Amino acid sequence: MKEKKGIEIDNLFIKHEIIKLRLITESIENPNKKFPTARQIAEDNGVSELTVKKVEKELAKKGYLISNKKGGTRATTKFAKEQVSSYITVKESFKGFVDTLLKNGFSKEDIMALVYDVLSKIEDDFSNVIYTEKDENVAIFAKREIEKKINRRVIFKPFETLKTELKNRILKNKIIVVPFFCYMQLESLSYESIKVIPIKAKHPLEGFSEINNLPFGSRIFYIAASKLDKENANSIYRDILRRRYRIYIYTQDEIFSNRHLLSFADVVVGYDWIIESEEFLLKGVRTVIKRNRFDDEEGMRIIECYLEKLEAV
């Protein structure tokens, strides 16, 4: 007899989660669809009517379903088009993994147990703090600075994705941290249990013209974090700095591909995570200046204060 590769888990829990997953799938793929009665769903899936009703009540609270006596239970338009597309793509990939598990002797219950075991481990690392800004190349590293300062895990979400989630009121009990220049666009979308906190984001070239110990005409090389950062640095700082220095602005890729350029640099400046990653290229440079994205102790204290209140609830 083939040995079963099982994971012990409560059978009622598995049935509850299977029904939930099926109803979520239906609500995503068929928005506004009217569902069969709880009794019919129960009969079709071999579970009790009470289990179905519990799942429907839970999903209605989260906004996936809407239910009333006259109209019955329907799926809502909870997800944006981009999320639906992403969901379907991930679902197809996931089918391949499930098929492999089934061929290796895992039962449906084993697979569901495995899924929720993984989910529970992910939730252990879950955070109520989200960081976002429009330049994702900067944001992914910038959020690490916040993590170090508040000693908490921080989730990064793309700016447009977060805007969509706020518009649809998907998020709950979250602290959203944004640079000041993104604040107004998200603050207007905030609602109960969502707090948007602006913090001062500092560009490495900000205030550079006030440094008096650099000789006039010094060759300043700025290593930009992304193409967008390069464009912004060109439009905002080049005119200011070229009055005193010769300013050159390159992305990381451009510097890496043309590393001989650094032999002409008197000063190299950039975000700390960029300088640290390129240190082996900068050994011959006279002066290297690395700067943090954030220097806002008051903003960090506000984040910690709201976190304490949120965790106390």
Side-chain angles (χ1 to χ4, degrees):
M1 181 181 287
K2 191 175 183 179
E3 185 180 351
K4 187 182 177 185
K5 302 173 183 177
I7 302 173
E8 290 186 8
I9 195 162
D10 182 64
N11 194 43
L12 289 174
F13 172 77
I14 285 293
K15 288 181 178 179
H16 179 277
E17 297 302 319
I18 288 174
I19 293 297
K20 188 198 304 185
L21 196 59
R22 285 178 181 168
L23 292 185
I24 289 175
T25 301
E26 283 293 321
S27 68
I28 290 173
E29 296 178 345
N30 303 285
N32 294 319
K33 175 186 176 181
K34 184 178 179 181
F35 288 156
T37 63
R39 180 178 294 180
Q40 186 63 53
I41 294 172
E43 289 176 0
D44 292 344
N45 291 279
V47 299
S48 72
E49 187 176 345
L50 182 61
T51 296
V52 176
K53 286 182 175 179
K54 282 182 178 179
V55 171
E56 288 182 341
K57 186 176 180 181
E58 181 181 339
L59 295 180
K61 279 185 177 179
K62 293 182 177 179
Y64 294 108
L65 307 178
I66 186 168
S67 184
N68 58 62
K69 290 181 181 179
K70 291 184 179 180
T73 301
R74 294 178 180 273
T76 64
T77 54
K78 177 79 174 179
F79 288 83
K81 289 181 181 178
E82 307 90 72
Q83 290 170 301
V84 173
S85 175
S86 175
Y87 172 86
I88 292 171
T89 301
V90 172
K91 179 183 173 183
E92 291 304 314
S93 299
F94 185 65
K95 278 182 179 177
F97 291 110
V98 171
D99 184 56
T100 301
L101 290 172
L102 289 170
K103 287 176 180 176
N104 281 287
F106 284 76
S107 69
K108 290 181 181 179
E109 286 77 15
D110 293 334
I111 293 167
M112 287 300 296
L114 183 60
V115 169
Y116 286 97
D117 182 57
V118 171
L119 282 176
S120 67
K121 286 181 171 59
I122 291 172
E123 288 171 352
D124 288 342
D125 295 326
F126 189 74
S127 173
N128 287 320
V129 183
I130 297 172
Y131 178 74
T132 191
E133 65 172 279
K134 293 180 180 178
D135 192 340
E136 294 185 18
N137 291 285
V138 174
I140 291 171
F141 290 96
K143 70 117 179 163
R144 295 180 188 173
E145 285 188 22
I146 301 173
E147 287 178 328
K148 289 177 183 177
K149 290 179 186 293
I150 67 173
N151 197 28
R152 305 288 181 91
R153 181 175 168 81
V154 176
I155 300 167
F156 163 70
K157 278 183 180 281
F159 189 77
E160 293 303 321
T161 299
L162 190 57
K163 275 179 67 176
T164 300
E165 291 183 352
L166 288 173
K167 285 178 182 176
N168 293 329
R169 300 202 164 205
I170 292 173
L171 301 173
K172 184 180 179 183
N173 296 330
K174 298 295 179 192
I175 295 170
I176 299 171
V177 182
V178 294
F180 265 106
F181 51 82
C182 296
Y183 173 65
M184 292 304 295
Q185 296 177 60
L186 296 185
E187 196 277 335
S188 61
L189 299 173
S190 63
Y191 50 91
E192 188 179 356
S193 83
I194 297 295
K195 183 68 180 176
V196 182
I197 300 175
I199 53 176
K200 299 171 186 174
K202 192 170 185 179
H203 193 276
L205 293 177
E206 184 179 335
F208 212 78
S209 60
E210 298 167 9
I211 299 177
N212 297 317
N213 59 348
L214 290 178
F216 186 85
S218 294
R219 292 181 291 266
I220 311 296
F221 277 53
Y222 173 58
I223 305 179
S226 65
K227 288 182 179 179
L228 179 59
D229 182 27
K230 179 180 177 179
E231 290 169 8
N232 290 338
N234 268 318
S235 62
I236 298 170
Y237 297 104
R238 184 183 287 278
D239 286 344
I240 297 171
L241 293 177
R242 70 181 179 183
R243 295 168 191 167
R244 288 191 59 175
Y245 311 114
R246 283 176 284 177
I247 180 76
Y248 304 89
I249 300 173
Y250 301 99
T251 63
Q252 282 180 278
D253 291 340
E254 288 170 338
I255 283 291
F256 192 80
S257 300
N258 302 279
R259 58 186 73 183
H260 65 279
L261 293 171
L262 292 173
S263 61
F264 299 101
D266 296 316
V267 179
V268 171
V269 61
Y271 288 116
D272 56 356
W273 65 81
I274 291 176
I275 297 299
E276 287 166 9
S277 68
E278 306 292 352
E279 273 183 338
F280 70 101
L281 296 176
L282 305 175
K283 290 180 180 178
V285 179
R286 296 180 199 172
T287 306
V288 178
I289 299 173
K290 57 181 180 180
R291 292 187 168 179
N292 291 334
R293 177 71 164 157
F294 303 110
D295 186 18
D296 188 355
E297 295 303 323
E298 183 181 352
M300 297 302 166
R301 283 196 295 271
I302 291 171
I303 295 170
E304 291 175 330
C305 179
Y306 277 106
L307 263 174
E308 289 175 6
K309 290 180 181 179
L310 196 60
E311 291 169 355
V313 176

